């Protein structure tokens, strides 16, 4: 079947931009929440799984998520940021399935963000981005 809108294929390199920005905003939000309003709840969780001092691990993860989210939005080291995000989302999904009350977001969010991350690993940053493909 013919593509009904072939002229839109001229903008194919902008598709990863949309994925990068959405994924980056979600990851920044997750990181920010770990550093602010969900801090106490997440510290209890980190302590319960044996990561002590929980405040240090929680702060490091929150900062990592914010930095990775910014990298995704800017298109800086996109594939590396997407790999880190995919790992975080996979671990989050596993935790959500084992202990549903520990994570606030529905498991479908983690699955969706995991596959967006995989897509960015395969497609790269698109345009505009700092790390353009050569």
């Amino acid at each position: 079947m013919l593509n009904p809108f072939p002229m839109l294929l001229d903008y194919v390199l902008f598709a990863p931009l949309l994925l990068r920005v959405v994924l980056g905003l979600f990851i920044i939000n997750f990181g920010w929440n770990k550093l602010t309003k969900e801090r106490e709840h997440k510290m209890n969780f980190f302590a319960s799984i044996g990561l002590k001092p929980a405040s240090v691990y929680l702060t490091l993860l929150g900062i990592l998520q914010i930095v990775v989210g910014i990298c995704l939005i800017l298109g800086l080291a996109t594939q590396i940021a997407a790999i880190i995000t995919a790992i975080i989302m996979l671990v989050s999904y596993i935790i959500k399935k084992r202990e549903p009350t520990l994570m606030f977001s529905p498991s479908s969010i983690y699955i969706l963000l995991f596959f967006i991350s995989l897509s960015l690993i395969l497609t790269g940053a698109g345009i505009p981005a700092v790390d353009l493909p050569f």
Side-chain angles (χ1 to χ4, degrees), residues 67-82:
V67 169
V68 166
I70 291 169
C71 286
L72 286 167
I73 291 171
L74 295 177
L76 177 65
T78 302
Q79 290 176 312
I80 295 168

Side-chain angles (χ1 to χ4, degrees), residues 64-115:
L64 174 69
Q65 286 181 317
I66 291 171
V67 169
V68 166
I70 291 169
C71 286
L72 286 167
I73 291 171
L74 295 177
L76 177 65
T78 302
Q79 290 176 312
I80 295 168
I83 289 169
I84 293 169
T85 303
I87 292 167
I88 292 171
M89 290 302 107
L90 184 60
V91 169
S92 298
Y93 177 75
I94 291 168
I95 292 169
K96 178 69 174 182
K97 281 300 176 186
R98 290 187 180 171
E99 293 293 331
T101 59
L102 293 178
M103 309 289 275
F104 295 129
S105 300
S107 58
S108 58
I109 292 291
Y110 302 121
I111 293 170
L112 178 64
L113 296 178
F114 174 76
F115 281 106

Side-chain angles (χ1 to χ4, degrees), residues 19-132:
L19 296 175
R20 281 191 294 116
V21 170
V22 168
L23 183 61
L25 290 174
F26 266 95
I27 298 305
I28 288 171
N29 185 45
F30 287 156
W32 183 254
N33 286 341
K34 282 179 182 59
L35 298 177
T36 57
K37 63 182 177 183
E38 295 177 7
R39 187 165 179 78
E40 195 63 39
H41 176 73
K42 297 292 183 185
M43 278 191 9
N44 293 335
F45 165 68
F46 275 58
S48 73
I49 61 172
L51 293 174
K52 295 179 182 176
S55 63
V56 172
Y57 286 104
L58 183 63
T59 302
L60 289 175
L61 181 59
I63 291 171
L64 174 69
Q65 286 181 317
I66 291 171
V67 169
V68 166
I70 291 169
C71 286
L72 286 167
I73 291 171
L74 295 177
L76 177 65
T78 302
Q79 290 176 312
I80 295 168
I83 289 169
I84 293 169
T85 303
I87 292 167
I88 292 171
M89 290 302 107
L90 184 60
V91 169
S92 298
Y93 177 75
I94 291 168
I95 292 169
K96 178 69 174 182
K97 281 300 176 186
R98 290 187 180 171
E99 293 293 331
T101 59
L102 293 178
M103 309 289 275
F104 295 129
S105 300
S107 58
S108 58
I109 292 291
Y110 302 121
I111 293 170
L112 178 64
L113 296 178
F114 174 76
F115 281 106
I116 290 174
S117 299
L118 288 182
S119 174
L120 288 171
I121 293 167
L122 298 174
T123 63
I127 55 175
V130 176
D131 55 342
L132 293 174

